[in-house]
Amino acid sequence: MRIFVTGASGWIGSAFVPELIGAGHEVIGLARSDASAAKLTAAGAEVQRGTLDDLDILGTAAAESDGVIHLAFKHELAFSGDFQSAADADRGAVDTFGTALAGSDRPLVIASGVLGLTPGRVATELDGHGDALAPLGTGPRTRLATADVVLSFAEQGIRSSVVRLAPDGPR
């Protein structure tokens, strides 16, 4: 498959891209810097220059792929105190992917954090909704809502998946 990956040189992507390539897939990785582009080239991936704000680039890359894996998030913006803007950019990218993939039966997989889940109890597939949310404000809730939007894309003919990751790794 020809797979478009955002966040391809990041924490998850730098481990995942070589696995995809090793399994015989062609990877097109979004790179916002020369350093990211060099990492992707060294891993054997094709480079698509751009950022999460370049919706035309994201839409075209998604439309030309056999599937999309969205791992990118504007962590530097979120950690600077503007989580809502980072979550809004994420939602814009997801909406763009949904438009590009609608009716195609191609996959869209996103990684989403578990920041909004209640600490101290086992998480389940039902978490991230209603009472399961910790009172953390609108930013994390926005990101969880974006994950729900991705899952709703199944009704539009997109094979949709959300992988939720804890800060210390998958759960």
Side-chain angles (χ1 to χ4, degrees), residues 5 21 28 30 50 53 72 75 86 94 115 129 135 140 144 148 156:
V5 181
I21 292 170
I28 301 86
L30 184 67
D53 296 319
H75 289 98
V94 163
L115 179 64
H129 309 281
L144 291 170
D148 286 340
Q156 298 175 33

Side-chain angles (χ1 to χ4, degrees), residues 50-76:
T51 71
L52 289 184
D53 296 319
D54 297 322
L55 300 181
D56 289 340
I57 289 170
L58 299 181
T60 298
E64 294 175 351
S65 71
D66 296 317
V68 175
I69 299 173
H70 176 48
L71 305 174
F73 189 72
K74 292 183 165 189
H75 289 98
E76 69 283 349

Side-chain angles (χ1 to χ4, degrees), residues 1-85:
M1 291 179 66
R2 181 175 168 84
I3 304 171
F4 177 54
V5 181
T6 69
S9 64
W11 180 61
I12 303 167
S14 61
F16 200 56
V17 166
E19 293 289 327
L20 289 170
I21 292 170
H25 299 290
E26 179 183 351
V27 174
I28 301 86
L30 184 67
R32 61 184 172 158
S33 69
D34 291 340
S36 292
K39 279 183 174 178
L40 293 173
T41 300
E46 181 181 326
V47 173
Q48 172 61 65
R49 291 302 296 256
T51 71
L52 289 184
D53 296 319
D54 297 322
L55 300 181
D56 289 340
I57 289 170
L58 299 181
T60 298
E64 294 175 351
S65 71
D66 296 317
V68 175
I69 299 173
H70 176 48
L71 305 174
F73 189 72
K74 292 183 165 189
H75 289 98
E76 69 283 349
L77 184 60
F79 294 144
S80 75
D82 195 1
F83 192 100
Q84 189 62 48
S85 291

Side-chain angles (χ1 to χ4, degrees), residues 67-133:
V68 175
I69 299 173
H70 176 48
L71 305 174
F73 189 72
K74 292 183 165 189
H75 289 98
E76 69 283 349
L77 184 60
F79 294 144
S80 75
D82 195 1
F83 192 100
Q84 189 62 48
S85 291
D88 290 345
D90 185 52
R91 178 61 179 270
V94 163
D95 288 341
T96 298
F97 297 141
T99 298
L101 298 173
S104 69
D105 195 39
R106 289 180 280 165
L108 170 61
V109 177
I110 72 162
S112 180
V114 294
L115 179 64
L117 299 181
T118 303
R121 69 176 188 77
V122 175
T124 74
E125 66 276 2
L126 300 176
D127 285 330
H129 309 281
D131 294 337
L133 288 171

